[in-house]
């Protein structure tokens, strides 16, 4: 088995196309494991992993924890809300205290962009970025690409539109990097106020008409409106946003071709996507959730193989 070219997963930007292939090939093996009656393998029985979540998370945290336990790793969960961070302790001090308990790998979600990279340069443990502010969310992008590959056979040559709050989304940026590295064409679609000014420099198309974007694409990835990150109003109302950029069954059925619908979750049903679209046969949202465990198992396993024992 090939090794990854990186020692940490802090962002998709650092990965090579071959790294992504290696992760997907490894995930294929783990997908078989998690569909067996006995869903555990002893691969990481002597590895300890700390999950450090400085931001709220349900799906990502559960997915990582399940992936770690499927690999038989020892798992330590850390929540910033009930920690000494509230007393003014620095990030590095917090993590070094945890590492002194002989932790081998850290999975971290943090509100500040670049926190995972900052940490990876200062501690003697493997670091996996579970989302850093509005910067990157690499494992989400990997599981999204993996799900497209599973559904359509490959990512290369496919047209993918990312719809919604591009400005505040770490998922959007990681997806753009991942899809382009695999040879896909990428478009972003949303209100002008939610499209970053630099987006053209990334080589993506920009469209403000949802129907035109959907007619162009093979895959539509519908993002959640991140109201908790918005310090000002970027559009008049959720109702108006839904009228212009929400995907409903009527619009989906009126397209000239059948497209694949994705959503990184959590879904605001009736805002960016209606229930009948989320639950339709064109939706692969639940496949994304299942694939998240296999992809995260692959990332953890491959990085753990680089730990010096």
């Amino acid at each position: 088995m090939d090794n990854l070219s990186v020692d940490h997963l802090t962002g998709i930007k650092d990965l090579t196309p071959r790294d992504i292939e290696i992760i997907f090939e490894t995930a294929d093996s783990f997908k078989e494991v998690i569909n067996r009656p006995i869903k555990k393998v002893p691969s990481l029985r002597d590895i300890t992993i700390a999950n450090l979540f400085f931001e709220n998370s349900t799906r990502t945290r559960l997915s990582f924890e399940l992936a770690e336990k499927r690999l038989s790793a020892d798992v330590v969960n850390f929540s910033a809300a009930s920690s000494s961070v509230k007393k003014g302790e620095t990030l590095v001090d917090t993590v070094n205290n945890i590492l002194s308990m002989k932790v081998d790998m850290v999975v971290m979600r943090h509100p500040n962009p670049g926190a995972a990279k900052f940490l990876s340069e200062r501690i003697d443990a493997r670091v996996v970025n579970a989302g850093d502010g509005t910067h990157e969310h690499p494992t989400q992008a990997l599981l999204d690409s993996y799900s497209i590959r599973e559904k359509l056979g490959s990512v290369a040559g496919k047209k993918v539109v990312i719809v919604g709050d591009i400005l505040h989304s770490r998922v959007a940026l990681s997806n753009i990097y991942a899809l382009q590295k695999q040879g896909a064409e990428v478009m972003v679609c949303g209100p002008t106020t939610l499209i970053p000014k630099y987006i053209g420099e990334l080589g993506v198309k920009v469209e403000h008409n949802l129907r035109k974007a959907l007619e162009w694409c093979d895959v539509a990835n519908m993002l959640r409106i991140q109201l908790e990150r918005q310090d000002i109003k970027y559009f008049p109302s959720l109702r108006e946003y839904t009228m212009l950029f929400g995907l409903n069954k009527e619009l989906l059925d009126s397209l000239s071709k059948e497209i694949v619908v994705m959503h990184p979750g959590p879904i605001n049903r009736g805002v960016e996507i209606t229930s009948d679209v989320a639950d339709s046969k064109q939706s692969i949202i639940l496949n994304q959730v299942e694939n998240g465990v296999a992809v995260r198992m692959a990332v953890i396993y491959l990085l753990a193989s680089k730990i010096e024992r």
Side-chain angles (χ1 to χ4, degrees), residues 16-28 149 182:
T16 65
R18 179 61 191 143
D19 286 333
I20 295 172
E21 278 180 46
I22 293 166
I23 291 167
F24 288 175
E25 287 162 10
T26 310
D28 287 338
R149 167 182 173 266
Q182 295 168 85

Side-chain angles (χ1 to χ4, degrees), residues 67-86:
E68 293 150 8
K69 288 179 175 176
R70 293 277 187 261
L71 292 165
S72 302
D74 292 320
V75 180
V76 179
N77 285 313
F78 170 94
S79 171
S82 56
S83 75
S84 293
V85 173
K86 293 287 182 188

Side-chain angles (χ1 to χ4, degrees), residues 255-272:
L255 300 176
S256 60
K257 59 181 177 181
E258 195 167 284
I259 64 168
V260 176
V261 178
M262 307 176 71
H263 195 300
I267 303 171
N268 290 324
R269 287 177 182 253
V271 179
E272 64 269 7

